[in-house]
Amino acid sequence: SNTALTELQCNSNQLTSLNVSANTALTILHCNNNQLTSLDVSNNTALDYLECNNNQLTSLDVSSNTALTQLYCINSQLTTLDVSNNTALTDFNCSNNQLASLDVSANTALTNLGCYSNQLTSLDVSSNTALSNLECGSNSLTSLNVSSNTALTSLRCQSNQLTSLDVSSNTALIGLWCYENELPSLDVSNNTALTTLNCNNNQLTSLDVSSNTALTSLAFNFNELTSLDVSSNTSLFNLQC
């Protein structure tokens, strides 16, 4: 009977089901922190914002929701997720699921992408040139190409299996977290805006931070460095070595 509803918030209850099939005017739906195992939003074609974090969803079909600009489905049990129809997405976070693959090639408007703590072995973000924030840590990535993502200000790719990382094109980077990988080298000479760099637990034998004069936090524990010159980094207040 509530067909005029445009916004529904039913967070932090014990809902095991939610029927919004009649609510075709919905533009905003929050149903976080429940016990939902399924969620049918196929009739909700006007949806702009969907947040269904912390449920028990094993699947989520958003193919009909072409107006979506923000989608958050963190901490469920999703094994697949197709966002190829959601070309308007600017903010998308599907972290803490069981995704083995993720195709965001159609989502060229994305500025924020979170997909950490999944089972991803690869991630192609070459089409996502508007990305400002990328969080893809705690996966099984062996490579990551961010050369097209020149707008990146924050990159979190920690706890993967990266053997190389080229951030030479990412001159807008302010924060870089690449700890717990297998990096033998890291060139941050072009990243003069960096304020935070955490490259703990890699295989670095050297690290040149002489160009990174804006650094306030630097962590490089558990590497193979024999020396490090931080004489240019006069803004440092947090140094972990």
Side-chain angles (χ1 to χ4, degrees), residues 113-135:
L113 172 60
C115 53
Y116 59 83
S117 296
N118 276 286
Q119 300 168 14
L120 302 177
T121 55
S122 64
L123 181 64
D124 185 351
V125 288
S126 58
S127 300
N128 313 104
T129 55
L131 266 186
S132 173
N133 178 39
L134 174 58
E135 301 183 6

Side-chain angles (χ1 to χ4, degrees), residues 31-95:
C31 53
N32 301 315
N33 307 312
N34 281 287
Q35 299 170 23
L36 300 175
T37 55
S38 64
L39 180 63
D40 185 351
V41 287
S42 57
N43 284 0
N44 312 102
T45 55
L47 263 187
D48 172 73
Y49 185 106
L50 173 57
E51 192 170 326
C52 54
N53 302 325
N54 303 315
N55 278 285
Q56 299 166 25
L57 301 175
T58 54
S59 64
L60 181 63
D61 185 350
V62 287
S63 58
S64 301
N65 312 103
T66 55
L68 271 181
T69 62
Q70 299 182 68
L71 172 59
Y72 306 94
C73 50
I74 302 168
N75 197 30
S76 267
Q77 299 170 24
L78 301 175
T79 55
T80 61
L81 185 59
D82 185 351
V83 288
S84 58
N85 285 359
N86 312 102
T87 55
L89 276 180
T90 59
D91 297 80
F92 174 37
N93 199 320
C94 57
S95 300

Side-chain angles (χ1 to χ4, degrees), residues 13-218:
N13 284 287
Q14 299 177 22
L15 298 178
T16 56
S17 64
L18 179 63
N19 187 347
V20 288
S21 59
N23 312 105
T24 55
L26 268 185
T27 59
I28 299 172
L29 174 58
H30 296 254
C31 53
N32 301 315
N33 307 312
N34 281 287
Q35 299 170 23
L36 300 175
T37 55
S38 64
L39 180 63
D40 185 351
V41 287
S42 57
N43 284 0
N44 312 102
T45 55
L47 263 187
D48 172 73
Y49 185 106
L50 173 57
E51 192 170 326
C52 54
N53 302 325
N54 303 315
N55 278 285
Q56 299 166 25
L57 301 175
T58 54
S59 64
L60 181 63
D61 185 350
V62 287
S63 58
S64 301
N65 312 103
T66 55
L68 271 181
T69 62
Q70 299 182 68
L71 172 59
Y72 306 94
C73 50
I74 302 168
N75 197 30
S76 267
Q77 299 170 24
L78 301 175
T79 55
T80 61
L81 185 59
D82 185 351
V83 288
S84 58
N85 285 359
N86 312 102
T87 55
L89 276 180
T90 59
D91 297 80
F92 174 37
N93 199 320
C94 57
S95 300
N96 285 316
N97 278 285
Q98 300 167 26
L99 301 176
S101 64
L102 183 65
D103 185 353
V104 288
S105 58
N107 312 103
T108 55
L110 276 180
T111 57
N112 295 291
L113 172 60
C115 53
Y116 59 83
S117 296
N118 276 286
Q119 300 168 14
L120 302 177
T121 55
S122 64
L123 181 64
D124 185 351
V125 288
S126 58
S127 300
N128 313 104
T129 55
L131 266 186
S132 173
N133 178 39
L134 174 58
E135 301 183 6
C136 56
S138 300
N139 279 287
S140 300
L141 302 177
T142 54
S143 64
L144 181 64
N145 186 345
V146 288
S147 59
S148 300
N149 312 104
T150 55
L152 269 185
T153 58
S154 177
L155 174 57
R156 297 176 183 266
C157 55
Q158 73 278 4
S159 304
N160 277 288
Q161 300 166 25
L162 301 177
T163 54
S164 65
L165 183 63
D166 184 352
V167 288
S168 58
S169 301
N170 312 103
T171 55
L173 263 187
I174 296 173
L176 174 57
W177 294 263
C178 56
Y179 58 87
E180 293 176 2
N181 277 287
E182 301 168 16
L183 301 175
S185 62
L186 183 64
D187 185 351
V188 287
S189 57
N190 285 2
N191 312 103
T192 55
L194 268 184
T195 61
T196 300
L197 173 59
N198 188 328
C199 52
N200 288 338
N201 293 86
N202 276 285
Q203 300 167 17
L204 302 177
T205 55
S206 64
L207 183 63
D208 184 352
V209 288
S210 58
S211 300
N212 312 102
T213 55
L215 273 179
T216 57
S217 179
L218 173 60

